[in-house]
Amino acid sequence: MNLSQSGRALAGKVALITGATGGIGRATAELFAREGARLIVTDVAQGAVDELAARLATEGVDVVGARLDVSSAENWSEIIDLTRRRFDRLDVLVNLAGIVDWPGIEDTTQDAWDRVIAVNQTGTWLGMKTAMPLLRASGNASVVNTSSVLGLVGSGAAAAYQASKGAVRLLTKTAAVEYATRGVRVNSVHPGVIATPMIQDLLDEQGDEQSDIVRTPMRRAGVPAEVASVMLFLASDGSSYVTGAELVVDGGLTAY
């Protein structure tokens, strides 16, 4: 890896990424590293976090990996304390951690509902709440929250997931207004059908028809790197006048 900082979009910035070992999370961490960021990579799976951090470190990245259950306020406090001790600043927070449950209204259990809301919705709020003092101190910070096209339109399924992602969309907008003059921009990214482990089972179930892909005007699934590039734009100073926005990365799925 070329460690020269010249021309790199995140040179000098410290970025914390949740869900960093998943498809989009890993692609985002790798892209941010190439663009000069110092990183805190987190996920609920300790082994996967350690592997990712170790690999990035061998490439010359200033990185620390840590386990984080985003639904835990105590875990969040520990991660922000770690960030403060290691880097003494935070410029970018990417809330990527998320889980999905596919049943509709009647078939969703209370336990499943509570868990999805805890991770996707409460976890995003806890991340912003806990990290905001460090982000505000940066004076030029960015929060990127991960919603979904299912936070914009209905599907007739995935009741808990859709509720959580819709909440992330509006939580992002209210945070953007609250911090617009306080040095923190807040935006959301809304992926469509992206070829990640989270949705691969669903695509496999659809078989050759793969109706979600057929309904996508570009007639293909996206890849994690295509979402990561949008995360990079929002994290960088290139989006300095963008806050409260929802950037859709869906191959045209919601254009109908």
Side-chain angles (χ1 to χ4, degrees), residues 102-140:
W102 294 111
I105 297 292
E106 293 182 62
D107 294 328
T108 297
T109 67
Q110 176 95 44
D111 287 345
W113 175 275
D114 290 345
R115 183 57 182 159
V116 170
I117 298 299
V119 172
N120 297 358
Q121 180 176 333
T122 305
T124 298
W125 164 69
L126 280 173
M128 290 195 292
K129 175 182 174 65
T130 313
M132 199 57 77
L134 266 185
L135 291 166
R136 286 191 286 104
S138 165
N140 183 29

Side-chain angles (χ1 to χ4, degrees), residues 181-253:
T181 60
R182 301 171 74 182
V184 185
R185 296 178 297 104
V186 189
N187 295 285
S188 59
V189 175
H190 298 252
V193 182
I194 309 297
T196 67
M198 178 180 284
I199 70 160
Q200 193 57 54
D201 289 345
L202 177 64
L203 293 177
D204 290 344
E205 284 179 15
Q206 293 176 352
D208 293 336
E209 294 183 3
Q210 294 193 326
S211 60
D212 287 321
I213 291 178
V214 171
R215 291 189 298 112
T216 298
M218 293 183 72
R219 295 295 190 272
R220 67 172 177 87
V223 298
E226 292 174 306
V227 182
S229 65
V230 175
M231 301 283 189
L232 175 64
F233 168 67
L234 292 175
S236 75
D237 292 342
S239 58
S240 58
Y241 198 54
V242 180
T243 196
E246 49 195 53
L247 271 64
V248 180
V249 190
D250 71 348
L253 183 61

Side-chain angles (χ1 to χ4, degrees), residues 1-5 8 26 29-34 37 39 51-63:
M1 178 176 290
N2 181 3
L3 294 182
S4 170
Q5 295 293 305
R8 299 167 84 184
R26 184 175 293 264
E30 291 170 348
L31 180 58
F32 280 23
R34 291 195 297 271
L39 294 174
E51 179 274 327
L52 175 61
R55 183 170 60 77
L56 291 173
T58 63
E59 296 173 355
V61 180
D62 191 356
V63 58

Side-chain angles (χ1 to χ4, degrees), residues 149-157 162 215:
V149 293
L150 296 187
L152 299 172
V153 297
S155 71
Q162 293 220 223
R215 291 189 298 112

